[in-house]
Amino acid sequence: MSDADEKRDEELEFDRLMALHGHDVPEDLRPGVLAVHLELKRMTALLRTADLAPESEPAHVFSVETRTPEV
């Protein structure tokens, strides 16, 4: 897939998401909002790859399953 095809696909996905949620992004703001969308997508992908042990998580983030002893 070429860079132009990838860019077009990203823009189509963005347009679909905005329409799905009823957002009308003004044309003058669209490039900035699209850039933020793509950056958030990139950062979210990084978060999902973290493979941390439960004790490495911040105190305010936890899973009941990882803190409950097996019975």
Side-chain angles (χ1 to χ4, degrees), residues 11-46:
E11 289 183 10
L12 285 172
E13 177 189 36
F14 173 76
D15 291 338
R16 286 185 196 119
L17 285 171
M18 294 299 108
L20 177 67
H21 295 286
H23 298 296
D24 183 25
V25 180
E27 281 302 313
D28 60 325
L29 299 178
R30 190 173 189 281
V33 176
L34 177 60
V36 169
H37 164 74
L38 295 174
E39 183 63 13
L40 287 172
K41 219 173 121 173
R42 185 192 69 78
M43 290 189 308
T44 301
L46 292 174

